[in-house]
Structures are given as structure tokens and as C-alpha cells.
Amino acid sequence: MVFRVESNQTPMGTEQRQAVLDKPVFGTVFTDHMVDICWSEKGGWHRPRVQPYGPIPLDPAASVLHYGQEIFEGMKAYRHEDGSLWTFRPEENAKRLQRSAKRMALPELPVEYFLQSLKELIAVDGDWVPSAPETSLYMRPFMFAKEAFLGVRPAKKVAYYVIASPVGPYFGGDAAPVSIWLSTTYTRAGRGGTGAAKTGGNYAASLLAQAEAAEHGCHQVLFLDSAEGYYLEELGGMNIVLVFKDGTLVTPKSETILAGITRDSVLALAKDRGHTVESRPISIDEWKQGFESGDIVEAFACGTAATVVPIGQLKTPDFTIGAPDAAAGDVTLALRAELIDIQYGRLEDRHQWMVRLDS
Ligand SMILES: *Cc1c(COP(=O)(O)O)cnc(C)c1O
């Protein structure tokens, strides 16, 4: 695919950009350009472009605005010590975008177009990848139904974009433990629903629960399964892993959670270290009793934006586990450090997870 590149004639000045890169605030400032590829039922994927970042012209009847036919991905570009630019397991994001597309009746973007779209954006906006510790350029590929039509059916015109924003540590950094709130009022996904797709509606559905978490002084919300309200699922935008005293790591197994690439990677690193890794249903009672008996010694959340975050405390309407200032566990910290060291090129990439973007 040959991209047409239209340069931004009024890019941000070097000094101003550097000020942004020195103190990035998640998802607030965007690079000078964006990628845009069109899809139509007749023409397939066409008109690939890199163009100045800016508003998207959209018909008020565009079906995404009415029926939420939309999907996205989240990934990062990392600057290594020698200045080279890399990303982490992008093929997994490409394949997941295809799975999300399938579920949301959107067209599947070929994996090679996805990878190329990232490289094209980095080719023009590579200077936006920050270099300070634990900073990166967050890349947000997304796809939505843009056909102007109020009937209910899959859109025949779709747009794919990639935008990017320099970011620092998500929760303030230094692996500070977070508090999470267990929602017993809301669920995020049910059997046969869209829980395994990375789609905006899942996030819209989580916002009220997230607000409830904030009212209880918590950073994030943890959802239970919708059928019984008994088994752990995941956080609004992160997966969860519990660490047992004997070194076993357990993560919920469910059709209705989003299969995180961070989780998959961290669990692979844990296996390399000799940990037993289990994916199975795990109930809120098992966590409570395991915490009380000392069998469950650590818990962490994981996702691209925040990497690996120790869970200091779980608050529920009935009981509390841990404390907001509980020290992060050793296993959590070791896995977090190893993942980050691989991503920043400080440790051998023995799984061949890193893909270079600037060559
Ligand atoms: C994106 C996402 C995750 C984390 O996935 P990663 O690939 O690790 O970034 C977890 N849960 C939900 C609901 C998500 O949308």
C-alpha cells in the first residue's frame, strides 16, 4: 500500500514539543499527523494517507454516532538508548483488531496494513517519541462506521485512523499500588456479548462503575461475571492476576474478558521464571479467603497504558482486602521490571516481541 503523505504546514515548534515530552500527560496532546485509510464495501481498503492531525469531517447521520460501531487498539512506541524506535508485539494488536472487527461487523484490516500504518506515522512523527524513563508514544489505531445512514445494519463505509500522544507513567509511576473497587451493581459484559472485543461501548458501560469506584476513593473498578456475580473478570481497561504463596499465578478464564497482550506477555515471563501459570475461574470468595489465610500474597493489574500495577487494596461493599499503602509484591515488581526492560531494549528480547518502527 502506498500512503500519500500530506505534511502539517504548522507543526508544533521544537521547544514547545520538548516541553510536552518532558511532562507528558496521558492522552492530552497529539502529534502533528495522523493516519487515515478508507474502506467501502465496493472499493475495499483505499486512499491510505498520512495527513495533518485535526478534526474529522463526519456526517451527523454517521452510524458510529448512533449505534456505536467502533473498535480500537492501544500500543506504545519506545525509544531505545541508541535512539531507535520500537513497538511491542504489534501483530498481536493487529490480530486483535481483526477479532474486534469481526465481532462488531466491521471490515478486517490486513495485518500488514496495520503494521505499515504505524511505521508511516512514526516516519513523520518519530521526534514525538520521548526519551525520559518510562515515557513512550501511545498509539491509538481505531476504526468506525462513517456511512451516513440511520438504518440498523453494518456500515458500508468505514474509516481507520491512527493518532498518537506522548505519555508518561499512567498512575504517576514508580509502581505505586492502586486501590480497586469491586462493583456489585454493574457488570461490563455478558455471555455472547462484546466483552472480548476492544470496543468503545464497553468503556461507556464502565464509566458509571468507575465513578462509583472514585466515590469510594479507588483508582479503578473490578467487575465480576454477569451470570452469578461471583467470579472475577477484569478491570475497566486492565486484566487481573493473583499471585499465590507457592508461586502460582492465576488469572480469570472467561469468554467475556479482553485478552490482554500485556497479561499474555507477563505470564510468559513468569513461566520462564519457573512459576506455574493457571487460567481458570476464580471467585471473590477464593480471593478473600486466600488473602486471609495467607495463600494469596499479591495481586496486580496489567495493560499497555499502565504496564503492571500492584493492587494494594480491594474494597467491596462488604469487606476490604489489603491497604492503600500496602507494599508492592516481589513477584509483581520483578515481572514489571523485566517487561519494561525488554520494551526499552535494556534486556535481551528472547521472545522476539520487539518490532522496529523507524527502519
Ligand atoms: C486493552 C484492554 C486490556 C489490556 O490489553 P493490553 O493488550 O494488555 O493493553 C484489558 N482489558 C480491557 C477491557 C481492555 O480494553
Side-chain angles (χ1 to χ4, degrees), residues 164-176:
S165 168
V167 298
Y170 196 77
F171 291 112
D174 289 335

Side-chain angles (χ1 to χ4, degrees), residues 96 188 198 203 234 236-239 258 260-262 302-304:
R96 187 168 67 191
R188 68 174 287 284
K198 210 166 175 76
Y203 280 71
E234 62 172 321
M238 281 187 279
N239 296 124
L258 196 287
I261 297 161
T262 313
C302 52
T304 296

Side-chain angles (χ1 to χ4, degrees), residues 80 269 273 334 337-350 354:
H80 286 186
L269 296 177
R273 287 169 170 259
E338 187 172 357
L339 178 70
I340 292 176
D341 282 346
I342 292 170
Q343 290 172 333
Y344 286 89
R346 299 187 291 254
L347 207 62
E348 190 205 343
D349 175 24
R350 57 179 190 276
M354 303 307 292

Side-chain angles (χ1 to χ4, degrees), residues 4-233:
R4 204 178 85 100
V5 179
E6 185 194 329
S7 296
N8 190 331
Q9 297 305 306
T10 53
M12 189 182 283
T14 314
E15 268 176 42
Q16 203 187 342
R17 182 179 67 217
Q18 197 52 50
V20 171
L21 298 189
D22 287 343
K23 278 198 180 67
V25 181
F26 190 90
T28 52
V29 179
F30 296 88
T31 67
D32 296 315
H33 299 86
M34 61 185 186
V35 162
D36 171 7
I37 311 178
C38 300
W39 180 90
S40 66
E41 196 180 51
K42 282 196 190 116
W45 293 105
H46 63 277
R47 225 151 68 96
R49 275 165 298 170
V50 174
Q51 57 185 18
Y53 182 91
I56 298 173
L58 207 56
D59 192 288
S63 43
V64 63
L65 300 176
H66 304 273
Y67 309 127
Q69 199 189 0
E70 186 270 357
I71 56 175
F72 65 95
E73 273 302 323
M75 47 208 308
K76 287 172 169 174
Y78 306 90
R79 187 179 292 282
H80 286 186
E81 189 70 41
D82 65 359
S84 58
L85 304 175
W86 301 73
T87 193
F88 185 72
R89 307 187 72 182
E91 279 201 20
E92 297 302 316
N93 296 88
K95 287 190 269 180
R96 187 168 67 191
L97 189 73
Q98 290 185 332
R99 293 198 299 275
S100 298
K102 195 164 200 174
R103 179 64 186 85
M104 302 307 289
L106 284 162
E108 291 178 38
L109 182 73
V111 171
E112 66 268 28
Y113 292 178
F114 180 89
L115 298 179
Q116 193 185 353
S117 72
L118 305 175
K119 290 184 176 176
E120 296 279 349
L121 189 60
I122 291 299
V124 292
D125 283 340
D127 287 346
W128 281 86
V129 184
S131 54
E134 292 205 33
T135 62
S136 58
L137 183 68
Y138 185 80
M139 298 182 287
R140 167 55 60 88
F142 60 105
M143 190 191 294
F144 60 88
K146 75 170 172 195
E147 183 184 358
F149 174 63
L150 290 187
V152 181
R153 58 149 170 77
K156 295 179 179 177
K157 279 190 184 154
V158 167
Y160 166 80
Y161 282 82
V162 187
I163 56 174
S165 168
V167 298
Y170 196 77
F171 291 112
D174 289 335
V178 295
S179 295
I180 59 176
W181 170 253
L182 181 78
S183 181
T184 52
T185 316
Y186 306 107
T187 60
R188 68 174 287 284
R191 191 172 64 86
T194 59
K198 210 166 175 76
T199 181
N202 291 341
Y203 280 71
S206 76
L207 296 178
L208 192 54
Q210 179 66 36
E212 197 181 74
E215 277 167 27
H216 289 90
C218 295
H219 302 86
Q220 285 283 319
V221 60
L222 172 66
F223 292 100
L224 296 173
D225 76 286
S226 65
E228 296 179 61
Y230 189 54
Y231 295 99
L232 310 188
E233 292 254 297

Side-chain angles (χ1 to χ4, degrees), residues 269-306:
L269 296 177
K271 272 189 202 159
D272 294 349
R273 287 169 170 259
H275 290 274
T276 302
V277 170
E278 291 174 6
S279 175
R280 62 167 172 83
I282 176 160
S283 73
I284 187 63
D285 280 352
E286 182 178 355
W287 191 359
K288 178 170 186 278
Q289 286 156 16
F291 177 81
E292 286 165 357
S293 70
D295 278 341
I296 296 178
V297 290
E298 300 179 29
F300 63 84
C302 52
T304 296

